[in-house]
Amino acid sequence: MELTYLRTFCEVVSCGSYTRAAEKLGYAQSSVTAQISKLEELYGAVLLERSGRGMIPTFAGNSLLPYARQMLELSGEAKGAVSGGNSGMLNIGAIETLAAYYLPHRLHRYREQHPGVQLRVQPGSEVQIIADVKEKAADFGLIFDVPYESEEIVSLPLRQEQLFVVVHPGHPLAAKPAVAPSALSGEPLVLTEETCTYRRQLLQELRHSGITPRIDMEFGNLEGIKQAVKHRWGTAFLPRYAAQEELDSGALIGIPLEGEQEKFYIQLIYRKERGLSAAFGDFIAAMQQQ
C-alpha cells in the first residue's frame, strides 16, 4: 500500500491540490486525504501544508519527494522485467538461414516497440533449437520444415516457402520450367550440412528416383553455397527466402523440382505452457509480418 500512498503524494505535489489530484487519480477527495494522513503517520512527519489556495510540500515532504519518485520508477521497471514487458532478455534459437535472411528487419521493428528488451539470437540445428525451447533455454525458436507437431510445443506457421534447384544462369538446366530428379544424376551438388531439413528432402527425392547423389561440396553457411554456384562449381537446393536477392537480380536461377514434395514452412515455436505477455505477443506479431 505504501507505493499507492507515495503515488498519491506525488500527484498532490504535482497538482498542488487534493481536489485536482483526486480527479486525476479517480479517487474521492476524502480517500486522497486519508492516504496522505497514513503516509505522514508512516514517516512520522507532516509532508504537506497549505499555501494560499494550494498544497505544497513541507521540508520533510521535499526530502521525501525524490525518493518517492525513484521508488515509483523502480517499481514500474521491476513490473516490466518480471512480466517480460519492457526489459529483460529474449532468447531466440534460429536455423542459420532464418537468422540471416528472415529475422533481421523483423527484429529491428520489434526493437522499435520494446527498446529495453535485449535480444539474443542463437543459430543452431533444428534438433537443437527444438530441444532448447523444450528445456527453456530459448523463449522462441525459428525452424524451416514440414509442419512440426508436439504435445509440448506450439508451432505457428509463418509462411510457406518454395524450394528451388539453384544454378548459374549459363547452366543447361537454367532454361527449364522444372527439373526432374533424373536430370540431377551425376550433377555436382553444393549442399548445406547434414542436419538441414531441406537437404534431406532433396536427397530423399533423388534416392526415391533411384539416383545416387553426387555431393561435391558442403557449406555451413549460405553465402559459401551461393558463391560456389556463381562460380559454376555445382548446383544447390535452397528455399526462396535464402536466395531472393540473387534470384530477383538474375545472378542465380531457381527452378522447382518436378513432382509433389512435402510443403515446407517457416515456423515459430514456443512452449505451450508459457504465459504470453504483451511484449511476447508483440514478438509473435513481428515475426508474422511480411
Side-chain angles (χ1 to χ4, degrees):
M1 292 298 291
E2 184 180 351
L3 284 175
T4 301
Y5 301 158
L6 289 172
R7 185 172 290 105
T8 299
F9 168 68
C10 290
E11 202 60 59
V12 174
V13 172
S14 177
C15 294
S17 163
Y18 284 137
T19 302
R20 287 195 293 273
E23 290 173 354
K24 194 166 182 181
L25 293 168
Y27 297 152
Q29 183 176 331
S30 59
S31 177
V32 170
T33 303
Q35 288 184 32
I36 297 301
S37 295
K38 289 177 181 177
L39 195 63
E40 291 176 331
E41 182 181 341
L42 180 64
Y43 283 96
V46 176
L47 301 174
L48 294 166
E49 61 184 359
R50 188 170 297 281
S51 175
R53 295 185 178 181
M55 303 299 297
I56 61 172
T58 62
F59 179 82
N62 275 320
S63 298
L64 174 64
L65 188 59
Y67 292 104
R69 287 171 174 164
Q70 187 176 12
M71 290 166 70
L72 291 171
E73 184 178 349
L74 287 172
S75 174
E77 289 180 6
K79 183 178 179 181
V82 170
S83 67
N86 299 313
S87 61
M89 173 80 76
L90 196 62
N91 290 292
I92 307 146
I95 63 170
E96 189 262 343
T97 54
L98 294 175
Y101 297 98
Y102 188 84
L103 269 178
H105 70 278
R106 292 172 175 82
L107 290 184
H108 176 70
R109 287 199 294 258
Y110 177 75
R111 281 300 303 277
E112 290 179 335
Q113 292 179 282
H114 299 278
V117 176
Q118 184 178 352
L119 301 171
R120 181 175 182 269
V121 179
Q122 181 63 47
S125 68
E126 179 176 320
V127 172
Q128 184 59 54
I129 290 165
I130 292 171
D132 285 347
V133 171
K134 286 182 176 180
E135 294 166 10
K136 304 183 181 181
D139 298 297
F140 291 99
L142 271 174
I143 60 174
F144 182 61
D145 205 341
V146 298
Y148 177 74
E149 296 182 0
S150 167
E151 293 183 356
E152 306 169 63
I153 300 293
V154 173
S155 175
L156 182 63
L158 301 177
R159 194 168 79 194
Q160 183 184 348
E161 282 287 327
Q162 189 169 7
L163 290 157
F164 290 105
V165 174
V166 178
V167 298
H168 183 276
H171 194 284
L173 295 175
K176 293 186 175 295
V179 176
S182 59
L184 296 177
S185 178
E187 183 72 20
L189 300 177
V190 184
L191 300 180
T192 49
E193 65 278 4
E194 289 187 4
T195 57
C196 177
T197 54
Y198 50 86
R199 166 185 162 133
R200 292 200 302 267
Q201 169 87 344
L202 174 65
L203 299 186
Q204 180 178 297
E205 290 294 325
L206 295 180
R207 288 172 181 137
H208 282 173
S209 299
I211 298 165
T212 300
R214 174 188 163 188
I215 302 172
D216 273 21
M217 295 183 182
E218 294 182 355
F219 285 87
N221 65 81
L222 287 176
E223 287 307 312
I225 293 173
K226 290 189 286 188
Q227 286 299 319
V229 176
K230 288 178 183 178
H231 285 86
R232 306 192 186 200
W233 295 339
T235 295
F237 188 63
L238 298 172
R240 178 188 289 277
Y241 71 80
Q244 187 71 59
E245 184 177 340
E246 292 82 1
L247 296 178
D248 289 344
S249 69
L252 295 174
I253 303 296
I255 315 115
L257 197 62
E258 279 187 2
E260 288 291 327
Q261 287 90 42
E262 291 183 289
K263 294 179 180 179
F264 272 59
Y265 296 84
I266 299 171
Q267 299 165 69
L268 182 69
I269 62 172
Y270 56 90
R271 296 183 304 280
K272 285 184 178 178
E273 81 278 6
R274 90 154 307 131
L276 294 181
S277 66
F280 278 50
D282 288 344
F283 179 81
I284 293 173
M287 292 302 102
Q288 292 175 308
Q289 293 174 357
Q290 300 304 311

